[in-house]
Amino acid sequence: MFFERHEGGERAILVHLEGQDAEASEDPQEFRELAMSAGADMAAFFSVPSSRLTAKYLIGSGKVEELRDHVKAEGVDLVIFNHSLTPSQERNLERAFECRVLDRTGLILDIFAQRARTHEGKLQVELAQLDHMSTRLVRGWTHLERQKGGIGLRGPGETQLETDRRLLRVRIRQIKQKLEKVRSQREQARRGRKRADIPSVSLVGYTNAGKSTLFNALTTSEVYAADQLFATLDPTLRRLELDDLGPIVLADTVGFIRHLPHKLVEAFRATLEESSNSDLLLHVIDAHEPERMLQIEQVQAVLKEIGADELPMLEVYNKLDLLEGVEPQIQRDADGKPLRVWLSARDGRGLELLRQAIAELLGDDLFAGVLRLPQRLGRLRAQFFAQGAVQKEEHDEEGQSLLTLRLPRIELNRLVSREGLEPQTFIEQHTLQ
């Protein structure tokens, strides 16, 4: 019902508020890119001083008159504000301009509506749209306050507006129930991976930082990647094999943005939980972006909101191909632990360094030693070989295998436990009897 949107190419006027404090201000260039991502054909761009804000229109009445003349002269279909509007401000502006008015939240919702591909993604977008639209039901609808009429329906009854609001509440409840089921299924899948001791790694970062390009480069997948905001909306998971570590699950997630509407964070909580339950976060950063420090702060703010700000994190400075004189490298802290990796997902430089850094951070509890396996544990021996963990094999006088192994301790524990043996005793003695 609410997942419909107009075709791209609508002529639009963009209105940006300038002079706000750093915490509340928006980036005008990012605003232009958001409008282009939604398919808007920009007819004009207006910057309005924030010192002249009003409760009725947000902007001053003089600026409203100027914009109205421009709307009529240019044949504009839509006016977009780079700011949140109250429902009454939106209605007042639409009456003044005699065209549709959209605020920043509505614009981002429209982009999300275009990008959603999976059933889950569409449900999440519809939930956010319904929540946003619930306070705007009266906009331009002349029938809403009329009571129902007709045979069998006359009498006090409920107004059409009340009916619409009730239907909205029912639909919102239905979507939340479906998303709760999705969340339950995700939790079951995560528990399964935990039982198999497969670490999970999530790509997070500001929108258009290159997460999907990096994801494709690491996993040789074909996830949609484009130089546009919110190219990726639906989460994608792939299995990835790392040297010295074994398999991990890599997740590509939706990008964050400055002042990401709270409605979207709430609606996409089931998806974002994939990040909050990861063993490691890869924070992908556009190294070529002049405002990258502000973007890093915004990502941290969203991670805090979903309870993922305390998770282990590795910073990945991407788009090295756009910088001069910077080589792929791993930067470490005083203890030698990887802090950030500089690379280019587009041309592949530095990808091996990233793999190495991930393996170091997830495999810091690595087992390397010689195990003595009796012949009766031939199946366990075969599993070590299948994992690629055996670096050398010798035999003693009794025919027992002397395996020189290198693998994560959690993987060693898992394999040994399957044989009904005590992992800790085995690890300490390095010998199986």
Side-chain angles (χ1 to χ4, degrees):
M1 175 181 175
F2 282 89
F3 200 70
E4 299 173 356
R5 62 174 306 278
H6 292 265
E7 295 298 323
E10 291 177 283
R11 287 181 62 73
I13 289 177
L14 308 187
V15 182
H16 170 73
L17 299 184
E18 62 180 13
Q20 291 183 301
D21 59 80
E23 186 63 28
S25 66
E26 307 290 357
D27 182 356
Q29 181 56 37
E30 183 178 84
F31 181 34
R32 289 186 178 91
E33 292 177 10
L34 281 170
M36 289 173 59
S37 293
D41 178 13
M42 187 175 71
F45 188 97
F46 282 82
S47 289
V48 181
S50 58
S51 57
R52 301 176 183 174
L53 302 187
T54 66
K56 184 176 181 180
Y57 294 116
L58 181 68
I59 57 177
S61 56
K63 184 60 70 172
V64 170
E65 293 288 337
E66 181 184 349
L67 282 169
R68 181 170 59 188
D69 294 341
H70 216 88
V71 166
K72 291 180 179 179
E74 295 289 335
V76 167
D77 309 297
L78 177 66
V79 177
I80 309 175
F81 280 73
N82 193 21
H83 194 278
S84 293
L85 296 172
T86 66
S88 61
Q89 287 172 343
E90 207 167 283
R91 289 194 296 272
N92 293 336
L93 288 166
E94 285 189 339
R95 291 193 191 102
F97 298 153
E98 297 180 355
C99 73
R100 287 188 305 119
V101 172
L102 208 59
D103 68 357
R104 180 182 172 85
T105 299
L107 176 62
I108 294 175
L109 280 171
D110 185 85
I111 297 171
F112 272 49
Q114 296 180 59
R115 303 284 190 266
R117 294 291 179 268
T118 66
H119 177 62
E120 178 196 352
K122 291 179 179 181
L123 282 175
Q124 291 175 134
V125 171
E126 186 179 356
L127 176 61
Q129 285 180 318
L130 289 171
D131 189 28
H132 184 64
M133 299 282 271
S134 60
T135 57
R136 291 162 165 78
L137 279 178
V138 298
R139 185 178 61 186
W141 291 4
T142 57
H143 70 283
L144 288 178
E145 290 299 343
R146 293 202 302 266
Q147 286 192 315
K148 289 181 177 179
I151 298 173
L153 294 175
R154 295 184 178 93
E158 60 181 349
T159 65
Q160 183 65 45
L161 176 58
E162 290 168 343
T163 301
D164 290 337
R165 284 177 175 162
R166 177 172 52 80
L167 293 174
L168 266 183
R169 288 195 298 269
V170 170
R171 180 59 181 160
I172 287 173
R173 187 165 60 247
Q174 290 173 342
I175 294 176
K176 285 184 175 179
Q177 289 172 348
K178 291 179 180 179
L179 288 175
E180 190 59 41
K181 186 176 181 181
V182 170
R183 179 181 296 186
S184 167
Q185 291 170 343
R186 284 187 184 278
E187 184 57 37
Q188 287 180 348
R190 278 194 292 267
R191 284 199 298 265
R193 293 198 295 270
K194 289 291 184 185
R195 284 196 297 271
D197 287 326
I198 300 178
S200 60
V201 178
S202 289
L203 295 171
V204 298
Y206 209 78
T207 183
N208 205 28
K211 294 184 299 298
S212 295
T213 303
L214 179 60
F215 183 86
N216 289 338
L218 286 171
T219 63
T220 62
S221 301
E222 295 183 357
V223 171
Y224 178 68
D227 185 16
Q228 59 183 199
L229 302 182
F230 300 118
T232 301
L233 183 58
D234 301 303
T236 308
L237 280 71
R238 291 288 186 275
R239 186 184 177 99
L240 176 64
E241 295 285 338
L242 293 179
D243 295 338
D244 291 337
L245 185 65
I248 67 169
V249 172
L250 186 65
D252 186 19
T253 58
V254 62
F256 303 151
I257 194 170
R258 185 170 175 78
H259 299 151
L260 185 68
H262 186 74
K263 295 181 181 69
L264 287 177
V265 176
E266 279 297 312
F268 280 77
R269 190 165 292 279
T271 299
L272 295 173
E273 278 182 354
E274 198 64 54
S275 298
S276 61
N277 286 277
S278 296
D279 297 292
L280 176 66
L281 298 178
L282 299 185
H283 181 180
V284 183
I285 300 164
D286 183 349
H288 187 252
E289 171 57 52
E291 300 290 332
R292 67 171 184 249
M293 296 310 297
L294 285 175
Q295 294 183 355
I296 291 172
E297 290 176 8
Q298 291 302 311
V299 171
Q300 293 287 1
V302 178
L303 289 175
K304 185 174 183 178
E305 190 168 352
I306 63 174
D309 55 321
E310 298 295 330
L311 293 177
M313 180 184 292
L314 175 66
E315 292 183 345
V316 181
Y317 279 74
N318 188 27
K319 303 190 181 181
L320 208 61
D321 50 294
L322 301 178
L323 300 177
E324 293 184 6
V326 183
E327 293 298 322
Q329 59 182 298
I330 299 178
Q331 293 181 335
R332 303 174 182 273
D333 62 13
D335 298 322
K337 183 179 178 181
L339 283 178
R340 61 187 64 89
V341 178
W342 293 73
L343 55 76
S344 170
R346 177 177 292 175
D347 62 26
R349 289 186 300 142
L351 288 182
E352 283 306 312
L353 294 178
L354 177 59
R355 289 172 174 267
Q356 176 188 331
I358 296 173
E360 286 185 34
L361 291 172
L362 291 177
D364 54 358
D365 194 16
L366 199 67
F367 175 84
V370 178
L371 302 186
R372 188 184 302 273
L373 292 173
Q375 292 182 0
R376 67 181 177 83
L377 295 176
R379 185 174 65 176
L380 180 57
R381 170 186 171 276
Q383 289 175 333
F384 283 133
F385 272 98
Q387 290 283 339
V390 180
Q391 296 185 316
K392 185 173 68 173
E393 181 182 27
E394 297 175 327
H395 294 86
D396 62 11
E397 296 176 353
E398 299 176 2
Q400 298 182 103
S401 296
L402 300 175
L403 299 180
T404 302
L405 298 180
R406 184 177 174 85
L407 78 167
R409 286 181 183 271
I410 57 172
E411 187 67 14
L412 178 63
N413 291 348
R414 184 176 67 85
L415 293 175
V416 173
S417 297
R418 282 181 176 179
E419 299 298 323
L421 300 165
E422 176 55 47
Q424 292 304 320
T425 302
F426 164 57
I427 293 172
E428 289 170 3
Q429 296 177 349
H430 293 185
T431 303
L432 283 180
Q433 300 297 335

